[in-house]
Amino acid sequence: MDVRLLWVAVVVLVLLLAGLGTAQNVLPPGPLSGAVSGSVTFETTLRPPERPFLSVSWSFKGANVITSTVDEDLPGDGYAYRISLDRTTGGLQLSRLTVGDSGEYVLTVIPQGDSLKQGKILLHVYVPVSGVMVRGPTSVLIEDQHSASVTCEASGTVSNRMWTKDGLPVLAGPTVSLSADNVTVSIEPVRSYDGGVYRCRVSNPVSNLTAEFNLTVNCE
């Protein structure tokens, strides 16, 4: 380990053990959300100090993301070309996100003439939703004689599926049921009023897509 980085680690440990200033979370409430291949900015509540911070350090799962001293910036393995640090506030931008970047990030700031400042925040990285498609029956449906299933397929990280029919939410009832994951709407038997446009909206905190299927029910 670099001597300067070791010195910063020792100072941080001593201050933590002393219990100085660790109660204040200098990061806003989380979690933050980011998309794979995108970027996210960790903003802080710190104001630029009159004298530069002695050190600003970010860590992830106990590993160094970057430790910045008055003299030098020391990025962790794999972060050199993915991060941008604002030493005046401790803010960090992380780019080229992967799902593996999801987890808790810890900021530790050592001011000059003041107590240690620390904050923790969670980041969730999602694969954007894609390939949303609604599939339904291709054969003729006769009222009271047939059943039907309408299925919503999607790729990416799916946090939520919401069904509507002709603009109104699809609700479970005597002849209508929804699968536990909301992938499929099942109707048994079909009635004339079950016909219409079924839309499925698939979403996560960074993306959403909608697809539809027109279900036709014929009277005998």
Side-chain angles (χ1 to χ4, degrees):
M1 179 182 289
D2 186 279
V3 174
R4 285 176 291 259
L5 182 55
L6 180 60
W7 175 84
V8 170
V10 170
V11 172
V12 169
L13 179 60
V14 170
L15 290 175
L16 283 173
L17 293 175
L20 297 176
T22 57
Q24 178 188 10
N25 190 347
V26 296
L27 297 173
L32 292 179
S33 298
V36 166
S37 299
S39 63
V40 66
T41 299
F42 298 91
E43 298 180 346
T44 77
T45 59
L46 296 173
R47 295 182 179 180
E50 295 182 3
R51 294 183 293 172
F53 295 126
L54 289 176
S55 76
V56 177
S57 176
W58 281 90
S59 64
F60 173 63
K61 295 182 179 179
N64 178 52
V65 174
I66 185 170
T67 297
S68 176
T69 66
V70 176
D71 301 321
E72 188 176 15
D73 291 340
L74 301 170
D77 292 341
Y79 288 104
Y81 301 103
R82 301 177 56 205
I83 54 176
S84 176
L85 177 70
D86 182 352
R87 282 204 91 256
T88 64
T89 64
L92 179 75
Q93 183 181 66
L94 177 62
S95 60
R96 303 180 189 178
L97 293 173
T98 69
V99 173
D101 291 319
S102 297
E104 185 178 71
Y105 290 76
V106 178
L107 167 65
T108 303
V109 176
I110 303 178
Q112 297 191 49
D114 199 357
S115 58
L116 177 147
K117 310 295 182 184
Q118 191 175 56
K120 299 179 180 181
I121 192 168
L122 284 173
L123 170 65
H124 297 307
V125 180
Y126 300 87
V127 180
V129 171
S130 64
V132 177
M133 180 179 296
V134 178
R135 299 182 184 275
T138 57
S139 58
V140 174
L141 299 177
I142 305 299
E143 183 178 30
D144 289 326
Q145 295 185 21
H146 295 111
S147 60
S149 292
V150 185
T151 301
C152 181
E153 301 174 358
S155 299
T157 307
V158 177
S159 298
N160 184 54
R161 282 183 174 88
M162 184 178 69
W163 285 97
T164 60
K165 173 185 170 293
D166 298 330
L168 298 176
V170 175
L171 303 176
T175 61
V176 178
S177 62
L178 290 93
S179 61
D181 51 8
N182 262 18
V183 170
T184 302
V185 176
S186 299
I187 309 167
E188 185 177 4
V190 292
R191 305 284 173 81
S192 59
Y193 52 73
D194 292 318
V197 177
Y198 288 76
R199 289 186 174 87
C200 176
R201 182 180 184 271
V202 182
S203 64
N204 61 37
V206 299
S207 63
N208 69 84
L209 288 174
T210 301
E212 65 182 43
F213 180 85
N214 190 3
L215 183 70
T216 301
V217 178
N218 296 282
C219 297
E220 188 176 9

